[in-house]
Amino acid sequence: FSTDFRGFLFQDSQLGVRLFGNRFNNKLQYNVAWFRRLEKDTNSGQNDIFRRMRDDDIFVANLYFQDAFTLGYTPQFTVVHNRNRENSRFYYDDNDFLQRPASLGDERLHRYNVTYVGFNGDGHFGRVNLTHSLYGAFGTDKNNQFTGREADIRAYFAAAEPSIDFDWIRVRGSFVYASGDKDPFDDTEGGWSGIFENPQIAGSDTSYWVRQGIPFIGGGGVGLKQRNSVTADLRSSKEHGQSNFNNPGILLLGAGADFDVLPELRLTTNINHLSFADTSNLEFLRNQGSISNSIGWDLSAAATYRPLNNQNIVFRLSGAVLLPSEGLK
């Protein structure tokens, strides 16, 4: 189940109950769902059905309106509520690392309620293809790990990927903005954090930044960002950890191109520039006076070969490099 077209908020296979349907010759499609999250196996990332379920509920309602505004474009409106009550016991993963609460700040158990309101779209306007997402997160965290007080959650996320085709070449642009928290010591948490993201943008798993987990050295037992993630949200892990709205956020600007050299062979290239939205949290956690916003340049390329012109046999060769700027250094 995915809450949007590109997996920016929640994309996972979980136990749940779902009511879905359509109206007006499939013009309108709707989902109403409730998921109770299963614990993951630490090293494989698969659902572990033999463990106690997480006290983490996700309630979803969304509506798709096909061919709205123009033929070929589908907008989607969604409301997602995440009710987390994992404040009763400490949780260590299979490798004996603390996962809940995150080893960050005061390391106290906490719970939160957050509602995500989103407007997403996918389709084309004439020759121009467009996928976009816009989210706001609003709620309450019962313990801000930097102040020990209750805090309001006010965070935002935006992404867009326009593209246009020239015969066998598609040229793409990429934009991602996840808000960062501006003040670790106020009573508002302004850093964007999703539930279980799997973003398909800016090269997705070909990109070094998206594919690789990067530890937060010298600031606690958390990751600067998680594997298969685009946001720098300082959580213990994507599989076991809680969402964290005290983080530096991210700004990604990029470009890329797809080359259909043969019906069976596609070459993909991407170049992205990455920056933190706000480094206030990083400066506090590292006891460092000034940290640059600039993360660096992410360069990647991939060749995908499908000898049977279908998905039964696929060969893929890819490479990526992250050239760090002052902020990451």
Side-chain angles (χ1 to χ4, degrees):
F1 187 90
S2 183
T3 53
D4 53 68
F5 297 104
R6 296 295 184 95
F8 292 129
L9 178 59
F10 173 72
Q11 186 181 75
D12 200 10
S13 297
Q14 290 288 351
L15 285 178
V17 179
R18 176 180 171 223
L19 172 68
F20 60 95
N22 65 80
R23 297 284 293 171
F24 307 119
N25 293 325
N26 212 35
K27 280 269 193 179
L28 293 180
Q29 299 169 344
Y30 60 87
N31 291 275
V32 179
W34 165 45
F35 299 99
R36 168 61 66 94
R37 294 178 71 183
L38 293 166
E39 204 70 75
K40 301 279 187 182
D41 178 82
T42 300
N43 299 307
S44 72
Q46 302 297 314
N47 290 331
D48 191 338
I49 62 174
F50 299 105
R51 295 196 184 184
R52 175 178 173 179
M53 296 181 69
R54 298 183 60 170
D55 195 356
D56 192 8
D57 295 302
I58 300 164
F59 304 92
V60 181
N62 61 34
L63 176 68
Y64 298 81
F65 192 168
Q66 295 207 43
D67 293 329
F69 312 128
T70 184
L71 292 176
Y73 172 74
T74 301
Q76 183 229 42
F77 305 90
T78 185
V79 177
V80 181
H81 182 73
N82 186 197
R83 173 191 173 275
N84 184 283
R85 291 294 181 271
E86 294 174 312
N87 63 325
S88 60
R89 66 189 184 99
F90 287 79
Y91 182 85
Y92 293 82
D93 66 17
D94 295 338
N95 303 320
D96 295 326
F97 288 101
L98 180 64
Q99 297 292 324
R100 298 194 298 268
S103 184
L104 186 74
D106 62 11
E107 297 190 32
R108 288 174 57 193
L109 291 161
H110 70 116
R111 59 190 175 94
Y112 53 85
N113 287 297
V114 57
T115 300
Y116 300 89
V117 180
F119 171 61
N120 306 286
D122 183 69
H124 65 91
F125 296 85
R127 290 186 58 201
V128 178
N129 311 298
L130 178 64
T131 297
H132 65 84
S133 286
L134 182 64
Y135 279 105
F138 311 95
T140 304
D141 186 349
K142 290 300 181 181
N143 179 68
N144 181 323
Q145 63 265 53
F146 296 149
T147 67
R149 302 188 299 267
E150 181 176 310
D152 293 327
I153 297 169
R154 298 287 185 272
Y156 306 92
F157 177 89
E161 185 179 84
S163 66
I164 189 169
D165 297 325
F166 300 95
D167 196 15
W168 54 283
I169 300 172
R170 170 170 289 189
V171 179
R172 293 175 284 101
S174 300
F175 165 77
V176 177
Y177 174 76
S179 63
D181 187 61
K182 293 184 170 121
D183 184 352
F185 304 108
D186 64 6
D187 293 327
T188 301
E189 299 177 5
W192 169 265
S193 185
I195 302 172
F196 194 88
E197 62 174 314
N198 186 27
Q200 305 299 309
I201 196 171
S204 56
D205 59 354
T206 302
S207 158
Y208 189 101
W209 178 261
V210 173
R211 181 66 170 177
Q212 299 297 321
I214 300 176
F216 183 46
I217 303 300
V222 298
L224 177 65
K225 66 164 297 293
Q226 302 299 317
R227 187 171 181 266
N228 291 332
S229 169
V230 72
T231 54
D233 55 3
L234 297 177
R235 55 199 294 176
S236 56
S237 75
K238 200 168 78 166
E239 289 76 17
H240 302 297
Q242 296 171 288
S243 298
N244 173 37
F245 301 92
N246 282 309
N247 66 65
I250 198 77
L251 172 63
L252 180 152
L253 294 171
D258 302 329
F259 304 90
D260 289 327
V261 180
L262 299 169
E264 314 90 55
L265 177 63
R266 171 173 291 180
L267 302 181
T268 301
T269 59
N270 295 278
I271 177 169
N272 304 310
H273 185 264
L274 297 146
S275 302
F276 295 117
D278 195 291
T279 59
S280 300
N281 285 318
L282 302 181
E283 292 168 357
F284 165 66
L285 290 168
R286 285 185 54 87
N287 294 313
Q288 194 167 335
S290 177
I291 295 178
S292 169
N293 287 64
S294 182
I295 297 172
W297 291 91
D298 184 355
L299 314 177
S300 63
T304 304
Y305 180 58
R306 303 180 304 152
L308 304 180
N309 274 320
N310 56 35
Q311 298 298 110
N312 291 341
I313 300 176
V314 179
F315 297 96
R316 192 160 181 262
L317 177 66
S318 65
V321 61
L322 180 61
L323 305 175
S325 296
E326 289 305 312
L328 190 58
K329 289 179 180 180

